[in-house]
Amino acid sequence: MITLIAQGLAFDEYPAFALYRNKPNPLSGIKRGVMSDYLWAEAQFLLLVYLRRLDNDHSARFRTPSKTAPYRIRYKTASSSHEQETSQVADMLCKPSICTVSLGRCSAGHSLQHKLDVAKKYGFQAIELFFEDLTDLTKPMPGGDQPSNQLAAAAAIRKLCDDRELSILCLQPFMHYEGLIDRELHQKKIKDAKFWVHLAHILGTDMILLPSSFLSPSELSTDRDMMIRDMVEIADVGLEATPIIRFAYEALCWGTRVDTWEASWDVVQRVSRSNFGICLDTFNIAGRIYADPAIPSGRTENCNEAIEASLREMIASVDPQKLFLVQVADAEKLAQALDNNHPFYSQEQPPRMSWSRNARLFYGENDRGGYLPIKRILDVIIHDIGYQGWLSFEVFHRILLENRRRIPETMARRAERSWRRMERDLALGRPTADYKTQALL
């Protein structure tokens, strides 16, 4: 068993969070079969370090991964001393990332550790952490899914990713936040956002993904000024943290009040905070203005003209400095319209949401029915707007809920092949000027 030297501190010394007062270490009851002694000790140590920092400075002033000042975790075992440094790559060219949910759902028995293993095996350098994968780790802990256990799970995940040299790109999704008519619920969401900031700090990420709400119209205000005020409020939560946490706002193509990238970009501009930017998702862009799964053709009227007009506006207006994340996915062209006779139909979901949950694909999988203009969208984002950063696969699909052990590796292999196609098709390893010159030949 590892002997930790945590500056001679015991867990009970930390009064920073009321939720920890007079409570035992949330990791103390974990079953050996769930978490090894080494990983258990590392998770506990990271949590101790974080809580002590909160006690010393309530704004949690400690270094997190950056290009110039990596966050150092120092710990000792009974036999030797070690120092581990983790750092996020800044000012990068396009690099591959994948969302953990795209490798299998935890509800189907696909463990996060296995998904991280296959992500590393197939060349991915970062992950988007889906919140359900974090809460899944709390199930064997005493008390189950409660805030203290979520913090412990975040520390464990940080260790798992560090061991595999995987960056944690973001924590997502922070759901159904903006424009709530119920203002008591809004205050609860602000409290949740502050807690997510603590989770992000422990995970070593600086970004939280904020998708547009798809609650019913009766629950969401039509007052755009209220929505902007809400977004300013959550952005300021991130700005007040040390280190600062960024929020990436994504328009879901079935969103209730915001369902296009143009609408989400308008929100970003009006919020006007340095830590509040846009997430562009190729599926959600094309899924709203190019495609409609509820009609037999699968395409909107004048879809090609509509997508080109939208992309021209994107080139003219989007500031690459406020483009925090690009997510990549295609989708199947369904054999029949997604109406109430379709297997994917759900009375509780808009057709585009049901389509998204069941039928997304990786880039270039035309043999599986992919038909959206994803290459064209990425071409604009990378070579016209000049985006340099993570390209992250976010693929939802019906097979992710199948309880077959090979699912994570199958999806990781498909994603790796897709990345190779993107490298070739979009000349990701070449300067934009060279790519454009070649395109003219």
Side-chain angles (χ1 to χ4, degrees):
M1 180 65 183
I2 293 175
T3 301
L4 289 172
I5 308 220
Q7 301 173 350
L9 304 175
F11 182 86
D12 293 340
E13 294 180 17
Y14 298 95
F17 284 133
L19 60 92
Y20 281 94
R21 290 185 184 134
N22 302 317
K23 289 190 177 183
N25 185 333
L27 297 177
S28 61
I30 282 186
K31 298 176 182 178
R32 294 290 175 85
V34 176
M35 190 178 292
S36 68
D37 285 345
Y38 188 85
L39 182 57
W40 175 90
E42 282 301 317
Q44 176 173 262
F45 177 71
L46 285 170
L47 193 58
L48 288 173
V49 169
Y50 183 69
L51 292 173
R52 166 47 68 93
R53 299 297 177 120
L54 283 178
D55 279 342
N56 290 340
D57 181 346
H58 292 296
S59 62
R61 297 180 185 279
F62 65 96
R63 291 182 179 180
T64 55
S66 68
K67 183 177 181 181
T68 58
Y71 168 42
R72 289 180 170 85
I73 303 169
R74 291 184 173 87
Y75 53 91
K76 293 185 178 181
T77 66
S79 59
S80 62
S81 299
H82 303 268
E83 180 176 303
Q84 177 173 321
E85 297 186 359
T86 62
S87 61
Q88 292 177 328
V89 181
D91 301 325
M92 67 191 81
L93 298 175
C94 293
K95 291 190 176 184
S97 171
I98 192 165
C99 186
T100 55
V101 76
S102 301
L103 297 170
R105 302 300 291 261
C106 57
S107 60
H110 301 300
S111 71
L112 180 61
Q113 184 165 342
H114 182 41
K115 292 190 286 187
L116 296 178
D117 284 340
V118 297
K120 175 66 175 178
K121 176 179 178 179
Y122 286 93
F124 289 91
Q125 300 173 30
I127 55 128
E128 292 181 69
L129 179 63
F130 217 65
F131 187 61
E132 70 175 39
D133 285 307
L134 186 150
T135 58
D136 188 60
L137 262 63
T138 68
K139 291 179 180 179
M141 299 180 188
D145 184 14
Q146 59 180 328
S148 58
N149 289 341
Q150 289 182 15
L151 292 170
I157 292 168
R158 172 76 174 268
K159 174 60 179 169
L160 288 169
C161 290
D162 284 349
D163 284 349
R164 291 157 180 77
E165 298 181 319
L166 290 169
S167 297
I168 300 177
L169 181 55
C170 70
L171 176 63
Q172 69 123 323
F174 191 78
M175 300 282 287
H176 301 312
Y177 166 71
E178 76 278 23
L180 290 166
I181 292 174
D182 184 341
R183 300 315 285 175
E184 288 186 8
L185 181 57
H186 169 78
Q187 289 305 315
K188 181 182 181 300
K189 296 295 287 187
I190 285 294
K191 183 179 178 181
D192 291 344
K194 292 177 180 178
F195 181 73
W196 273 50
V197 165
H198 292 308
L199 289 175
H201 283 160
I202 294 175
L203 289 165
T205 185
D206 74 340
M207 185 160 59
I208 293 170
L209 182 64
L210 188 67
S212 62
S213 179
F214 52 93
L215 291 176
S216 68
S218 64
E219 297 173 272
L220 296 177
S221 173
T222 58
D223 184 349
R224 185 56 65 94
D225 290 338
M226 174 192 284
M227 178 190 296
I228 301 303
R229 289 193 299 270
D230 288 350
M231 293 307 205
V232 169
E233 187 175 6
I234 200 171
D236 287 346
V237 168
L239 281 174
E240 290 165 4
T242 304
I244 289 170
I245 296 298
R246 298 183 296 158
F247 290 90
Y249 186 45
E250 174 189 9
L252 301 181
C253 63
W254 62 92
T256 306
R257 304 297 183 206
V258 172
D259 60 359
T260 65
W261 77 262
E262 290 94 337
S264 62
W265 178 241
D266 178 66
V267 171
V268 168
Q269 290 180 297
R270 292 182 61 186
V271 169
S272 189
R273 292 292 191 271
S274 60
N275 67 324
F276 194 87
I278 192 171
C279 167
L280 292 178
D281 179 306
T282 61
F283 169 85
N284 282 312
I285 293 169
R288 179 61 184 84
I289 59 175
Y290 182 90
D292 184 351
I295 59 178
S297 70
R299 293 177 171 86
T300 59
E301 187 177 0
N302 300 318
C303 58
N304 291 313
E305 292 85 350
I307 195 72
E308 287 301 322
S310 180
L311 292 176
R312 286 193 297 272
E313 177 63 22
M314 187 183 292
I315 294 169
S317 62
V318 171
D319 177 359
Q321 297 302 313
K322 298 305 290 286
L323 177 47
F324 288 177
L325 177 60
V326 174
Q327 294 176 323
V328 181
D330 199 340
E332 297 175 37
K333 185 180 183 302
L334 303 180
Q336 66 182 83
L338 208 166
D339 54 23
N340 56 7
N341 295 315
H342 196 282
F344 298 163
Y345 176 78
S346 171
Q347 188 175 1
E348 289 74 37
Q349 297 178 352
R352 285 182 169 93
M353 181 179 178
S354 298
W355 180 45
S356 172
R357 291 292 177 261
N358 285 281
R360 289 199 193 194
L361 298 171
F362 293 104
Y363 172 92
E365 292 189 320
N366 298 342
D367 57 326
R368 296 177 182 268
Y371 75 111
L372 303 180
I374 306 306
K375 180 180 181 296
R376 176 65 181 133
I377 295 169
L378 289 174
D379 191 12
V380 165
I381 291 172
I382 296 167
H383 297 295
D384 290 305
I385 295 176
Y387 174 77
Q388 293 186 348
W390 296 103
L391 297 175
S392 189
F393 291 116
E394 189 191 44
V395 171
F396 301 94
H397 198 276
R398 53 196 177 274
I399 70 168
L400 299 173
L401 287 167
E402 295 180 6
N403 184 15
R404 290 183 290 162
R405 180 169 173 77
R406 66 183 179 85
I407 293 295
E409 181 144 8
T410 297
M411 297 300 284
R413 185 185 303 113
R414 284 173 54 188
E416 189 271 341
R417 290 172 181 166
S418 178
W419 177 257
R420 297 305 171 202
R421 292 189 190 101
M422 286 169 57
E423 284 188 315
R424 180 192 66 231
D425 293 351
L426 297 161
L428 297 182
R430 290 158 49 194
T432 293
D434 291 350
Y435 171 81
K436 290 187 173 181
T437 299
Q438 181 66 31
L440 293 173
L441 297 179

